[in-house]
Amino acid sequence: MSGNRSPFSDPAAVSAYVRETPRKVPGLADLHKMAALLLAEQAPGAADVLVVGAGGGLEIRAMAETRPHWRFTGVDPSPAMLDIARQTTSPCAERTDLIHGTVVDAPAGPFDGAVCLLTLHFLDWDERLETLREIHRRLKPDGVFVAAHHTEIGGQAHLWLGRSATFAAGANSEPGQAAASAKAMAERLPLLSPHQEEACFQDAGFKQPNLFYAALSFRGWVMTA
Ligand SMILES: C[S@@+](CC[C@H](N)C(=O)[O-])C[C@H]1O[C@@H](n2cnc3c(N)ncnc32)[C@H](O)[C@@H]1O
């Protein structure tokens, strides 16, 4: 694992993650609701859902609340983020398996659907493509996959990451701090343009990636295996 994921091994940062992320990512609660709605189109009843980068457990908890017949398999390489996920998902623990590792450590499935939220922006092209291929390999034909993360908008990563950082900082945001945070993210994250994102999804075997979520520097796509 590369150093750009080190924040997820710092216990203080990890416990703040679950508390603060819903406020920091615009529309996160609705992103979770839309992900469940989109997955349910191919999985209206009981379903097995793969969650890649499941640390924190927020998306599993949100989907479990509205879909009582779904079972979840979450994978994440950060033990600290998985520990928090265990706490967050305790209300649905009997239908949630949390596995330490990346998608290659997930069972073969096949799964009815998969999500990967706020994670792919950490992966460079090769690791992202491999991750996407392994997700695709684990889905049933026409199983739905939902991905959402930071993207490079209009070749202006600093501008849009800065807007996201300002949103995350809230009412007390200091312009200098948001700019510094955006600069650090732009340097650290191997962002792709929306066009490159869609090419990567298709290279991995997914059909018809369609944009369904756009929030400052975040974009979300839905596609089928
Ligand atoms: C920003 S958190 C997002 C967690 C959760 N999906 C959410 O939306 O709240 C990113 C997560 O991706 C995990 N991660 C990093 N590299 C990964 C990889 N190659 N495969 C799966 N998860 C990874 C990190 O450990 C971390 O828990």
Side-chain angles (χ1 to χ4, degrees):
M1 189 192 312
S2 64
N4 59 17
R5 278 162 241 151
S6 58
F8 303 113
S9 57
D10 168 9
V14 165
S15 68
Y17 182 84
V18 167
R19 206 172 52 245
E20 295 186 8
T21 299
R23 172 182 67 72
K24 288 185 170 179
V25 177
L28 186 65
D30 282 329
L31 172 61
H32 291 158
K33 284 186 202 160
M34 289 186 280
L37 176 156
L38 293 164
L39 261 58
E41 290 175 358
Q42 288 296 327
D48 287 307
V49 175
L50 174 63
V51 181
V52 176
L58 289 170
E59 63 271 59
I60 292 181
R61 181 177 68 191
M63 290 191 288
E65 279 169 3
T66 56
R67 308 285 160 178
H69 302 301
W70 286 5
R71 292 190 55 84
F72 302 92
T73 299
V75 290
D76 197 290
S78 159
M81 287 293 277
L82 270 186
D83 280 348
I84 300 281
R86 268 184 211 103
Q87 294 169 31
T88 311
T89 60
S90 60
C92 55
E94 75 291 346
R95 51 194 174 102
T96 302
D97 290 326
L98 292 172
I99 297 169
H100 178 233
T102 65
V103 63
V104 296
D105 301 297
F111 291 90
D112 298 280
V115 302
C116 186
L117 303 184
L118 312 183
T119 297
L120 289 174
H121 51 220
F122 292 110
L123 310 188
D124 64 23
W125 176 277
D126 289 344
E127 196 177 0
R128 193 189 284 233
L129 184 56
E130 191 53 25
T131 298
L132 290 169
R133 284 188 174 138
E134 293 292 332
I135 294 170
H136 184 272
R137 193 196 301 274
R138 285 166 174 75
L139 281 169
K140 291 180 182 170
D142 293 327
V144 173
F145 174 52
V146 169
H149 43 264
H150 288 296
T151 296
E152 187 186 69
I153 312 298
Q156 297 177 300
H158 280 87
L159 176 65
W160 286 98
L161 289 169
R163 288 169 172 161
S164 289
T166 303
F167 183 93
N172 301 324
S173 120
E174 287 179 29
Q177 257 178 11
S181 155
K183 183 169 179 289
M185 281 197 283
E187 285 168 4
R188 194 172 88 230
L189 302 179
L191 300 189
L192 302 183
S193 69
H195 181 72
Q196 291 169 321
E197 296 268 6
E198 291 178 14
C200 198
F201 294 136
Q202 283 169 329
D203 274 10
F206 286 103
K207 293 179 286 200
Q208 294 183 328
N210 279 309
L211 189 72
F212 74 93
Y213 168 74
L216 299 177
S217 56
F218 296 91
R219 294 290 181 273
W221 284 265
V222 57
M223 63 209 86
T224 52

